[in-house]
Every structure is written in C-alpha cells, then in structure tokens.
Amino acid sequence: MVRPALVAFAAVSAVHLGAQLVDPDGTIAPLTQVLLMPVLAWVLVSAVPSTRPRLVKLTLLALGFSWLGDTLPRFASEDAGFLLMVGFFLLAQLTYAVAFLPYWRASIVRRSPILLLPYAAGLARLVAVTHVRAGSLLVPLIFYGLALGTMAVLATGLGWVAGIGGALFFVSDSLIALRAFADVTLPAHGFWVILTYIVGQTLLVLAVVRVQGGAALKRAR
C-alpha cells in the first residue's frame, strides 16, 4: 500500500518546509529533515514489486547516501560536517548516475545534445562564482559539480519527470555552494535549498516508479 507512505512523506515535508520558514534553527527542522529520505524510500518500496530490479535498488542506495548526508553532519564540527555532507551527497550523485546510465540512449545526450549546453553553462557559472573562496576545495568542488551534472543529464533518460527532478537537485546543491563559497543568499535561503531538494528527489523516485511499472507491465504481457 503506497498511500500511507505518500501521506507520511507529504506530512513530513510540509512540517519541515514550514519549520524552515518559521524557525529554521529550532528543533523541528533538523528532526524532520532526517526523516525525509527514509519516508521517501518507504514510498519507493511500497510502489514496486517485492522483487526489486537494479534501478530500484540503486535508487534506494542513493536515498540512503542522501540520508547520511542529511544526518551525520549534525554530529560533527562545522567544517567536518560540510565535508561529510558533500562526501555522502557525492556518493548519492554517483549512485544515481550509475542507476540511470542504462537509459542514456533515451537521454538528451543522444536525443537533443544541444540541451547539454544549459547544464554546462550552469556548472561553468557556478565554478566561476565560487572558485575564489573555494581554495583547496576547488578541485573537489569541480568534481562534485561534474558528478551532479552527469546525474542530472542521465536522469533525462527516464523521461521529463526525472529530468526536472535532476535539474532541481542541481539547483539545490548549487544554492548550497553559492552560500558556502560566494556569500550569495536568498531570502529564506534554507527553505529554497530544501524545497528544490525535496521536489527533486521526489520526482526522481516517481520517475523510477513509472519506469519500473512500465517494465513490469511489459514482462506481464
């Protein structure tokens, strides 16, 4: 039954987003943030057959790495916590990229290579804005950006829902980098970071469910 999982995820997301707006430094925001990815994983597990293929298993692993990136930095110093966050989200991006790689022929890499330009331009602009303060972290930052961009591009192979999800994930992490390395902040910056993160991850999971549902229907025929 997927409905209870969807209801739980919607509730946790709403409470967390509300806390980000009202009291981002309180106790509710961090508590609900560490619940987001486990509940989203519950949605995925509830929506697919008990025998789960490679795509679903890798997506669950990516959600697990994302959860570690959300959770473990809270138990470390600020600098160590940032590195933990980046490290685990790098693993999440690489896992997503491996999961989506078999679908690359349906992605913009094959179908519309011209659409690669906005991703390249976005990454180049991000590096240009952040490189001065990145210092020794510049090379890891570029590598992370390439992994993030690769994930977002390959996600388009699962359809437009995943494509938007990957793009929003790109935006979310870009907002984090802009705040950390360029002192660029939006009003309610944390809210926009987490909103694009939640919607991006949700769309990726929904796309995986759709693709897997279609594959299951073909097998049944």
Side-chain angles (χ1 to χ4, degrees), residues 33-206:
Q33 184 168 348
V34 301
L35 294 176
L36 287 168
M37 292 303 103
V39 181
L40 185 56
W42 179 24
V43 172
L44 178 55
V45 168
S46 301
V48 296
S50 57
T51 302
R52 297 183 184 94
R54 173 184 179 277
L55 175 62
V56 175
K57 290 178 179 177
L58 287 174
T59 300
L60 288 171
L61 182 59
L63 292 175
F65 284 134
S66 299
W67 174 75
L68 290 172
D70 285 336
T71 305
L72 292 187
R74 304 178 188 282
F75 302 99
S77 65
E78 184 175 353
D79 290 342
F82 182 79
L83 292 177
L84 280 172
M85 179 187 70
V86 171
F88 280 113
F89 275 103
L90 173 60
L91 291 174
Q93 306 304 341
L94 293 174
T95 303
Y96 270 133
V98 171
F100 302 153
L101 184 59
Y103 304 88
W104 75 271
R105 289 181 178 82
S107 74
I108 60 174
V109 175
R110 181 74 174 268
R111 297 194 171 209
S112 303
I114 191 69
L115 294 179
L116 293 172
L117 291 178
Y119 293 91
L123 178 59
R125 179 59 178 166
L126 183 64
V127 172
V129 171
T130 60
H131 79 280
V132 173
R133 290 190 56 187
S136 61
L137 292 177
L138 178 59
V139 172
L141 177 64
I142 293 173
F143 182 76
Y144 183 89
L146 289 172
L148 180 62
T150 300
M151 178 280 299
V153 167
L154 291 175
T156 64
L158 274 68
W160 66 270
V161 171
I164 294 174
L168 287 174
F169 210 153
F170 190 100
V171 170
S172 179
D173 281 5
S174 296
L175 289 174
I176 292 174
L178 288 172
R179 179 171 57 186
F181 298 115
D183 281 336
V184 174
T185 58
L186 303 174
H189 193 90
F191 171 83
W192 296 110
V193 168
I194 203 67
L195 177 64
T196 49
Y197 172 63
I198 290 173
V199 177
Q201 291 270 34
T202 301
L203 291 178
L204 290 176
V205 166
L206 292 178

Side-chain angles (χ1 to χ4, degrees), residues 9-32:
F9 182 67
V12 172
S13 299
V15 172
H16 180 69
L17 289 170
Q20 283 287 348
L21 285 174
V22 176
D23 189 16
D25 297 321
T27 58
I28 295 177
L31 177 62
T32 50

